[in-house]
Amino acid sequence: MAQRREFLKFLAASPLLTNYSAFAQEVEETIGERIKDPSEVINVFEMEAIAREKIPPAHLGYLATGVDSDLTLRANRAGFSRFQIRPRRLVDVSQTDTSVNVLGSEAKSPIFLCPVGSQGAYHADAELGSARAAAAKGHHMVLSTQSSTSVEDVIEARDAPIWHQLYPTTRWEFTIAMLQRAEAAGCTTVCLTIDLPGGRNTETSQFLTREDNRNCSSCHQGQAKPMLEGFNMQGVGLNSSQLTWNVIGRMKEVTNMNVVIKGIEVGADAALAVQHGADGIWVSNHGGRATETGLGTIECLPDIVNAVNGRVPIVVDGGFRRGTDIYKALAMGASAVGIGRPYCFGLGAFGQAGVERVLDLLNRELLITMRGSGTPTLASIGPDYVQDAGYRVPRGKLGLDLY
Ligand SMILES: Cc1cc2nc3c(=O)[nH]c(=O)nc-3n(C[C@H](O)[C@H](O)[C@H](O)COP(=O)(O)O)c2cc1C
């Protein structure tokens, strides 16, 4: 722990801090020692602060990183400040309902667990902890190609069908094999991630890896990627730079799963995806880990909702840390909202119990916002409940994360 403190002190004095603390409130560095029980954690930012103390720095760097100067990562948070909620009064909000059905997948909450790879790096509970938490709280889960746990085991832990996220690899026969395995396991939808066709520059991750020179091979034991097992990956990339829109039709030839396209940021691409047969659109910039200096995803949403025009459901992720953030996306036309890092912070801080706490916190905040705005059901949350100021409200200097 003393070593850890030294490391955190180093970071506090380092120019790295601006990248490193992109989301964090100012929290005492020993918060993880003071808060022993997840029920004491007050919000997602505090969970992040605890996770930062508990996850090994190099792994934390991978979880926290954006690309280049982390500007898209920050835009995801800053974008929410453009939109304000317009609450209505004297509506009976004594009965609330947050249940959703997206492409036949039912959930108690519109907050989906995004595909996040290698969860064994954050806690030994790994994807099974996330799946059990999702089951306990009634959330829908999407599993990464890079999962450290097999799709079959995760479905058993979730006790319901999940969605599979696909990195198609540069070998089409591997793609077919993964699709067939996911479908046989019980996945109902495949989300093809299309936002990383040409590599990326994850500097925050590299900085922290450089500072963490311990031999952590023990962390990596058992970190095989079951979805890629049995494939000779020598010279094979996870992402193909040759993919074009006909990939949707090619996937539909070999699977009966719904096909959702993950990584759309522009309305014209959403229209192309629907035109080529996509069953759903996932608005995402990979949590600021793909193209640098993009818009926040919440800012991309209106253009995409307009282009899709209700033909298929829309999921959006990127920087969602508050119930109000989720409410805004629902009001603007999303059917569901994905969270990536927040539940992994919970996982890193307390394992499954931490994921459950993150889901509880966000559901509670969403419910408070729904009641406070006079919208007791998701169907009642429409475009009239949110307004675009047209500019991002500058971040304050009060020592709190104002977003
Ligand atoms: C550590 C990490 C690993 C990720 N792994 C994947 C992945 O394997 N496949 C994928 O489609 N997206 C992946 N993502 C992106 C998430 O699915 C999601 O788009 C993003 O995390 C949402 O932003 P948020 O973290 O701000 O909530 C990953 C994100 C993080 C932070």
Side-chain angles (χ1 to χ4, degrees):
M1 188 50 77
Q3 249 183 340
R4 177 100 206 170
R5 269 201 208 106
E6 279 311 302
F7 178 71
L8 287 165
K9 270 189 205 144
F10 159 79
L11 279 177
S14 148
L16 263 181
L17 187 68
T18 43
N19 284 351
Y20 189 76
S21 65
F23 297 146
Q25 283 181 296
E26 285 181 11
V27 193
E28 285 175 46
E29 65 181 44
T30 57
I31 192 163
E33 289 170 59
R34 274 199 304 116
I35 296 183
K36 299 285 182 214
D37 191 299
S39 66
E40 296 167 45
V41 177
I42 289 171
N43 61 32
V44 166
F45 303 103
E46 196 171 60
M47 190 66 89
E48 173 175 359
I50 298 169
R52 282 175 181 275
E53 291 181 16
K54 293 198 178 173
I55 299 174
H59 294 182
L60 178 64
Y62 180 68
L63 179 60
T65 196
V67 285
D68 291 3
S69 304
D70 289 356
L71 296 176
T72 306
L73 180 143
R74 288 157 195 272
N76 278 345
R77 288 296 305 134
F80 290 107
S81 74
R82 250 179 76 165
F83 301 95
Q84 281 76 48
I85 292 172
R86 302 176 70 236
R88 300 296 304 274
R89 304 299 183 208
L90 291 180
V91 178
D92 181 351
V93 289
S94 55
Q95 306 292 321
T96 47
D97 182 9
T98 58
S99 58
V100 279
N101 184 327
V102 183
L103 295 174
S105 294
E106 291 184 358
K108 284 190 192 153
S109 165
I111 305 168
F112 286 11
L113 275 64
C114 286
V116 171
S118 309
Q119 292 182 26
Y122 314 128
H123 193 277
D125 286 356
E127 287 84 0
L128 292 182
S130 301
R132 289 185 186 124
K137 302 297 171 185
H139 286 249
H140 187 54
M141 177 164 180
V142 186
L143 187 69
S144 166
T145 295
Q146 300 239 63
S147 169
S148 25
T149 315
S150 79
V151 63
E152 294 82 5
D153 289 348
V154 173
I155 288 181
E156 197 184 330
R158 174 59 189 85
D159 200 23
I162 60 171
W163 292 0
H164 171 60
Q165 176 269 326
L166 180 75
Y167 283 127
T169 81
T170 46
R171 294 277 295 273
W172 189 248
E173 62 271 32
F174 292 2
T175 307
I176 296 175
M178 281 195 274
L179 286 172
Q180 288 172 343
R181 177 169 171 185
E183 188 166 356
C187 294
T188 54
T189 293
V190 56
C191 304
L192 175 73
T193 300
I194 58 165
D195 51 21
L196 290 177
R200 57 181 172 175
N201 181 31
T202 51
E203 287 187 9
T204 297
S205 179
Q206 290 171 53
F207 283 128
L208 289 181
T209 302
R210 187 198 283 155
E211 301 311 329
D212 188 5
N213 55 9
R214 294 162 308 153
N215 176 356
C216 71
S217 60
S218 58
C219 315
H220 295 282
Q221 266 167 24
Q223 290 302 307
K225 303 285 186 294
M227 220 54 204
L228 300 168
E229 242 166 41
F231 302 145
N232 179 359
M233 294 297 287
Q234 212 167 14
V236 176
L238 272 185
N239 288 287
S240 168
S241 51
Q242 292 181 322
L243 289 188
T244 59
W245 290 106
N246 70 14
V247 68
I248 300 173
R250 291 170 73 201
M251 286 171 68
K252 289 196 159 236
E253 278 170 19
V254 292
T255 181
N256 291 315
M257 290 186 284
N258 299 303
V259 176
V260 168
I261 302 301
K262 179 173 185 281
I264 301 258
E265 297 182 58
V266 171
D269 273 353
L272 279 169
V274 176
Q275 191 185 315
H276 283 83
D279 300 293
I281 299 295
W282 192 313
V283 181
S284 178
N285 52 30
H286 218 110
R289 299 157 80 84
T291 308
E292 180 63 319
T293 76
L295 286 171
T297 47
I298 194 75
E299 298 169 296
C300 300
L301 193 55
D303 180 31
I304 293 168
V305 168
N306 191 33
V308 170
N309 196 19
R311 287 175 290 173
V312 297
I314 297 173
V315 181
V316 58
D317 72 30
F320 288 81
R321 304 290 181 269
R322 285 288 192 192
T324 49
D325 303 336
I326 295 158
Y327 185 92
K328 289 173 189 176
L330 297 172
M332 289 160 68
S335 299
V337 164
I339 53 167
R341 294 181 186 85
Y343 80 88
C344 293
F345 294 142
L347 186 68
F350 297 104
Q352 176 186 338
V355 180
E356 290 188 25
R357 180 64 180 163
V358 164
L359 297 176
D360 280 346
L361 287 168
L362 289 176
N363 283 322
R364 175 174 176 270
E365 290 178 15
L366 175 61
L367 270 178
I368 289 171
T369 311
M370 286 170 66
R371 291 197 195 104
S373 307
T375 46
T377 61
L378 298 191
S380 64
I381 309 173
D384 287 349
Y385 291 83
V386 74
Q387 176 171 308
D388 183 357
Y391 60 92
R392 294 179 187 160
V393 177
R395 194 182 156 110
K397 295 232 178 261
L398 300 181
L400 292 172
D401 186 319
L402 290 182
Y403 303 135

